[in-house]
Amino acid sequence: MWVQMLLASLGLLLPAWLIWRAVSTARTLEKRLAQGDATLLNDDRFKVDRVTLGPAGTELIEDVQFVSVVAPSYQQGGGPHS
């Protein structure tokens, strides 16, 4: 009888932990979204599939790949050809 109780407890513990983890992850995600956390774009736990809310006039463009461009920095008093 004790073995059955132990197995039943374990059988309930795993689903309870999975539900708690899902709720906790959802809360964390909502908090990070509200804060505008840009690191979400590189977080392996989340995948940005589609942006559906933006400022007025925002257009959705499918399958766009973004490229980060870094402008060269110049020292004070110098230019690109100094």
Side-chain angles (χ1 to χ4, degrees), residues 4-59:
Q4 292 172 340
M5 294 288 277
L6 180 63
L7 290 176
S9 296
L10 290 175
L12 293 174
L13 196 60
L14 180 63
W17 177 77
L18 290 173
I19 292 169
W20 174 81
R21 185 173 172 204
V23 169
S24 175
T25 301
R27 284 183 184 161
T28 302
L29 178 59
E30 289 295 327
K31 181 180 174 185
R32 290 174 68 184
L33 284 171
Q35 293 173 347
D37 188 353
T39 61
L40 280 170
L41 296 172
N42 300 323
D43 196 324
D44 292 337
R45 294 181 298 165
F46 306 107
K47 177 184 172 200
V48 178
D49 184 44
R50 177 179 295 225
V51 177
T52 58
L53 180 63
T58 300
E59 295 181 25

Side-chain angles (χ1 to χ4, degrees), residues 56-73:
T58 300
E59 295 181 25
L60 293 178
I61 302 172
E62 298 291 331
D63 299 323
V64 173
Q65 293 190 7
F66 294 93
V67 177
S68 176
V69 178
V70 178
S73 62

